[in-house]
Amino acid sequence: MFRTKVCGITSVEDAQLCCQYQIEAIGLNFYGASPRSVSLEQAIEIADAVRSQIQLVGVFVNHSHDEIRSIHEAVGLDLIQLHGDEDPAFLGLLKDLRLIKAFRCKDSGLGPVVDFIAACTTLDITLEALLLDAYHADSFGGTGTSLNWASLNKHTHLLGGYDWILAG
């Protein structure tokens, strides 16, 4: 698993800069409502330029499993980051891929994340990592709002031993 990822890469030049600074992964955002989304053609161009130097993560928000598989294959993604309202049953349709599930965490705690992990375990779904992001009612991420990371320290034992990624 990577230690650093820069999400929202939209150009070959930015991807190459990430490689130059030894960033380990980049996020290619396929959510059309995001100002940092890329087309399939852009993603292929970026991936072809840096593939051997960095991990490629496709970021998806409420796409169909067919769309995700098609883009995964066309671009040659290393990981799939699901940043929408996908439930464990949906993840089951993609469990042969390397998956990261993003959670928009509210101040109410990690209960929903723990429940999601339990459901994935029941369905024999293994995630590569959990991405924890600040909740924003009108956005699926990339808001620049930081999660209260310090408050997570006492709750990390609840995350089932998964690697976790802090966004923001």
Side-chain angles (χ1 to χ4, degrees):
M1 182 53 59
F2 53 81
R3 290 181 307 244
T4 56
K5 174 174 73 99
V6 176
C7 211
I9 297 299
T10 59
S11 70
V12 169
E13 295 77 22
D14 288 346
Q16 290 171 331
L17 192 60
C18 288
C19 294
Q20 178 183 338
Y21 285 99
Q22 300 178 350
I23 302 298
E24 296 169 316
I26 57 172
L28 301 172
N29 187 337
F30 295 97
Y31 180 50
S34 169
R36 292 173 299 283
S37 69
V38 292
S39 67
L40 179 59
E41 294 76 20
Q42 286 174 297
I44 291 170
E45 179 184 13
I46 293 166
D48 287 348
V50 298
R51 181 177 320 284
S52 63
Q53 303 167 63
I54 201 163
Q55 292 183 65
L56 304 169
V57 181
V59 179
F60 298 90
V61 177
N62 298 330
H63 288 72
S64 74
H65 69 278
D66 289 333
E67 289 174 303
I68 293 169
R69 284 190 178 282
S70 176
I71 293 170
H72 174 270
E73 185 176 318
V75 178
L77 298 169
D78 297 303
L79 293 135
I80 301 298
Q81 178 178 313
L82 299 172
H83 217 296
D85 301 314
E86 303 88 2
D87 62 17
F90 181 87
L91 272 63
L93 300 171
L94 300 168
K95 69 181 185 177
D96 58 308
L97 303 177
R98 295 178 65 204
L99 302 174
I100 298 168
K101 177 62 180 131
F103 295 92
R104 298 181 299 148
C105 299
K106 296 180 180 180
D107 290 336
S108 58
L110 294 174
V113 179
V114 172
D115 292 344
F116 195 97
I117 293 168
C120 285
T121 300
T122 299
L123 296 172
D124 195 30
I125 299 165
T126 302
L127 301 169
E128 293 289 325
L130 310 172
L131 186 143
L132 306 177
D133 201 357
Y135 177 81
H136 190 283
D138 299 325
S139 178
F140 286 98
T143 64
T145 304
S146 292
L147 181 63
N148 182 357
W149 300 340
S151 70
L152 295 176
N153 285 339
K154 60 186 174 190
H155 300 291
T156 57
H157 67 282
L158 298 173
L159 298 178
Y162 280 105
D163 287 336
W164 42 289
I165 302 162
L166 296 178

